[in-house]
Amino acid sequence: MSYKIKFDRFFSYSFSLDCAIFGYKDGEIHVLLIKRAMEPYSGEWAIPGDLVYPDEDLPIAANRILTELTKLKNVELHQGQTFGNPNRHPQGRVITCAYFALVRIDDLQAEADSWAEEVMWAPMNEVPNLAFDHSEIVESTYEDLKRMLQREPICFDLLPEKFALNEMQQLYEYAYNVEMDKANFRKKIKSIPLIHLDEKQQNVKHRPAKLFKFDTERYRQMVETENYMFRM
Amino acid sequence: MSYKIKFDRFFSYSFSLDCAIFGYKDGEIHVLLIKRAMEPYSGEWAIPGDLVYPDEDLPIAANRILTELTKLKNVELHQGQTFGNPNRHPQGRVITCAYFALVRIDDLQAEADSWAEEVMWAPMNEVPNLAFDHSEIVESTYEDLKRMLQREPICFDLLPEKFALNEMQQLYEYAYNVEMDKANFRKKIKSIPLIHLDEKQQNVKHRPAKLFKFDTERYRQMVETENYMFRM
DNA sequence: GCAAAAGTGTTTGGATTACACCCATGC
DNA sequence: GCATGGGTGTAATCCAAACACTTTTGC
């Protein structure tokens, strides 16, 4: 057998990672954008992404890239789809793999660095046109995120550490685009391991809600010992 | 900002696709393997995979590669995980993206071609050690497949076109590793659009089962008009 | 007291489970 | 007739939806 081109010519591609970082704020899911200060697409909005070094493993590279461009550290990234349209990058054949994460916007401080000129959290329904095929990547990872919200307790990565049950309900209502009954929602989440805190909401002009925390430790135990499956 | 290596050095990677083709036979899910007649890993079992051409889009390349090595044509491939460990390929930095498919083994004729010396359908619990990280790729796509069996009517891609309900039940019992009650299974699938054929099993030494066919057309309609969601 | 949201209980209908039973075919 | 699996009915149970109601806070 033989290839239609010289074997060496196959080793002429580049590979990048693009990170869609999602957060929840003001009742809406936001995605982290950077303004590019480098060609191509200089001056345009994009999600943080860059080329992978030759000796670098993908998950490590994803974190490095995110840190270099936005100063965010130790974010837990999940792999998404891979995009390889031959024309997606004007400088050559660059295949890219999407990574996505869910974070607490208020606990972090995203700051532009390296060739990122500016960062911004854009609400999902107001995301501007993005460089490359990044609009498509954001859509695709957002679908991944919504699927993951159903099967993994990652809503707690988006919510504040201490949250009211109603905030959790609103997050799911927003993500699934449905309305839920308060009483039924509370019954449904009875099986989720939550720590009932002795704190209440402050500065609300109605009865303050009790605050809860996700019980990561008990969750792990339940998964191991009783084969617990998170399901929403 | 600047890179730690010359920009050109980034364009030195290669990119491949690896196809995990799953079929169902003798009550077990099988995966299609080829024996490699090319270095590296010559003589070892692997899943069909090869390098992508510079101007080739990924889904097209996946089908081309599968056809070249196994003569299988027009298989509907789904993207899986991407594997990019720097040491996964002995000849350089080759990142690979997994594609997987579900097929009817008996309706196809897989034949070794190009640098594939032999093909074989291996039952999932007897898959030998595979070249590269292909064992990991098979595991990962098999998980993708099982997840997909829950949310998409792809069991009908594995079953014969005309099948008995018990065959369908056995497929799910095998995939989910559970036992199901016959009567309850039949009630559960009442909402799935199946065409009740006027045929029966032949050559069985017990009461022959009626045969069914998946009603693709009605399924599409139901998805569109009544927002139907397949769920098993 | 009133507005607003927190938080709980009750009823109902539909789905899931367990299990028993009858049916059609080959030998 | 008997073995084998095909195919169906029923009662008990669980679960989710709908909805009404009480509670606690600020003003």
Side-chain angles (χ1 to χ4, degrees):
Chain A
M1 81 66 58
S2 70
Y3 291 117
K4 289 186 295 187
I5 59 175
K6 282 217 207 107
F7 188 69
D8 282 0
R9 280 274 288 125
F10 280 112
F11 286 79
S12 65
Y13 311 158
S14 196
F15 193 79
S16 67
L17 300 177
D18 288 301
C19 305
I21 310 298
F22 295 102
Y24 183 63
K25 180 170 81 163
D26 308 329
E28 284 181 272
I29 294 184
H30 291 59
V31 62
L32 182 62
L33 304 179
I34 60 169
K35 188 180 267 181
R36 293 177 58 88
M38 182 168 75
E39 291 300 337
Y41 295 101
S42 187
E44 297 191 32
W45 291 101
I47 57 174
D50 208 340
L51 302 174
V52 172
Y53 282 108
D55 55 355
E56 208 176 19
D57 204 355
L58 305 189
I60 291 175
N63 247 297
R64 169 190 58 82
I65 290 165
L66 183 63
T67 304
E68 283 183 4
L69 292 167
T70 68
K71 296 194 179 170
L72 295 185
K73 282 195 181 114
N74 304 318
V75 171
E76 192 191 345
L77 289 154
H78 311 276
Q79 196 186 95
Q81 292 278 112
T82 292
F83 298 80
N85 187 293
N87 306 313
R88 62 173 298 282
H89 198 296
Q91 292 176 320
R93 185 72 194 265
V94 182
I95 290 146
T96 198
C97 179
Y99 274 80
F100 67 98
L102 298 85
V103 301
R104 296 182 181 133
I105 297 183
D106 294 332
D107 289 8
L108 301 173
Q109 193 132 343
E111 258 180 85
D113 200 3
S114 180
W115 51 265
E117 185 179 304
E118 207 178 317
V119 298
M120 147 169 110
W121 288 99
M124 277 307 287
N125 52 7
E126 294 172 34
V127 177
N129 278 331
L130 301 180
F132 304 102
D133 49 4
H134 285 194
S135 295
E136 197 188 336
I137 296 178
V138 167
E139 279 311 314
S140 157
T141 47
Y142 187 49
E143 293 304 318
D144 292 338
L145 178 160
K146 285 194 282 188
R147 221 168 300 126
M148 209 161 166
L149 274 174
Q150 289 178 51
R151 336 196 123 261
E152 305 281 342
I154 51 165
C155 58
F156 308 110
D157 294 342
L158 289 171
L159 292 167
E161 190 187 1
K162 300 170 182 182
F163 58 89
L165 296 186
N166 194 34
E167 296 179 282
M168 179 172 168
Q169 182 179 336
Q170 281 173 27
L171 169 53
Y172 276 101
E173 288 181 329
Y174 174 87
Y176 296 168
N177 196 28
V178 290
E179 302 230 318
M180 297 175 176
D181 179 273
K182 187 179 23 157
N184 295 335
F185 181 82
R186 280 151 195 260
K187 268 174 266 178
K188 189 174 182 174
I189 65 172
K190 273 246 171 352
S191 63
I192 301 173
L194 297 179
I195 299 171
H196 199 119
L197 297 170
D198 265 339
E199 286 179 67
K200 296 179 177 189
Q201 280 177 328
Q202 301 289 329
N203 304 318
V204 284
K205 59 170 182 286
H206 56 264
R207 176 175 172 181
K210 286 177 186 154
L211 297 181
F212 291 79
K213 226 172 112 171
F214 180 57
D215 193 338
T216 315
E217 203 37 62
R218 196 145 71 85
Y219 169 69
R220 282 214 198 93
Q221 274 176 30
M222 284 162 67
V223 169
E224 269 183 37
T225 64
E226 49 189 289
N227 217 31
Y228 173 72
M229 296 257 276
F230 181 92
R231 190 75 13 126
M232 283 294 295
Chain B
M1 80 67 58
S2 68
Y3 291 117
K4 289 186 294 186
I5 59 175
K6 281 218 206 108
F7 188 69
D8 282 359
R9 281 273 290 122
F10 281 113
F11 285 80
S12 65
Y13 312 157
S14 196
F15 193 78
S16 67
L17 301 177
D18 288 300
C19 305
I21 311 299
F22 295 102
Y24 183 63
K25 181 170 78 163
D26 307 329
E28 286 182 272
I29 293 183
H30 290 60
V31 63
L32 182 62
L33 303 180
I34 61 170
K35 188 180 266 181
R36 294 177 58 89
M38 183 167 75
E39 292 298 337
Y41 296 101
S42 187
E44 298 192 30
W45 292 102
I47 57 175
D50 208 341
L51 302 174
V52 172
Y53 281 108
D55 55 354
E56 207 176 21
D57 204 355
L58 306 189
I60 291 175
N63 248 297
R64 168 188 62 78
I65 290 165
L66 184 63
T67 304
E68 283 183 3
L69 292 168
T70 68
K71 296 198 179 166
L72 296 184
K73 281 197 181 110
N74 304 319
V75 171
E76 193 191 344
L77 289 153
H78 311 276
Q79 195 185 95
Q81 290 279 111
T82 292
F83 298 80
N85 187 292
N87 306 312
R88 62 172 298 283
H89 199 295
Q91 292 177 319
R93 184 72 194 263
V94 182
I95 290 146
T96 198
C97 180
Y99 274 80
F100 67 99
L102 297 84
V103 301
R104 295 181 183 134
I105 296 183
D106 294 332
D107 289 8
L108 301 173
Q109 192 129 346
E111 258 181 84
D113 199 2
S114 180
W115 52 264
E117 185 179 305
E118 205 180 319
V119 299
M120 148 170 108
W121 288 99
M124 277 307 287
N125 52 9
E126 294 172 34
V127 177
N129 278 332
L130 301 179
F132 303 103
D133 48 4
H134 285 193
S135 294
E136 196 188 338
I137 295 178
V138 167
E139 280 310 313
S140 156
T141 47
Y142 187 49
E143 293 303 316
D144 291 338
L145 178 162
K146 287 195 281 187
R147 221 169 298 125
M148 210 162 165
L149 274 174
Q150 291 177 49
R151 338 198 122 260
E152 306 280 343
I154 51 164
C155 57
F156 308 110
D157 295 342
L158 288 172
L159 292 169
E161 190 187 2
K162 300 170 180 181
F163 56 89
L165 296 186
N166 195 33
E167 297 180 281
M168 179 172 169
Q169 182 180 336
Q170 281 173 28
L171 169 53
Y172 276 103
E173 287 182 330
Y174 173 88
Y176 296 169
N177 196 28
V178 291
E179 303 230 317
M180 297 175 177
D181 179 274
K182 187 179 25 160
N184 296 336
F185 181 82
R186 280 149 196 260
K187 268 175 265 174
K188 188 173 180 174
I189 65 171
K190 273 243 171 0
S191 63
I192 300 173
L194 296 179
I195 299 172
H196 199 118
L197 297 171
D198 266 338
E199 286 179 69
K200 295 180 176 188
Q201 280 177 330
Q202 302 288 329
N203 305 319
V204 285
K205 60 171 183 283
H206 57 264
R207 174 176 174 180
K210 288 178 185 153
L211 297 180
F212 291 80
K213 226 173 109 171
F214 180 58
D215 192 339
T216 316
E217 202 37 64
R218 195 146 71 82
Y219 169 69
R220 281 215 198 92
Q221 275 176 29
M222 285 163 67
V223 169
E224 268 183 38
T225 64
E226 49 189 287
N227 216 33
Y228 173 73
M229 297 257 276
F230 180 93
R231 190 79 10 133
M232 282 296 290

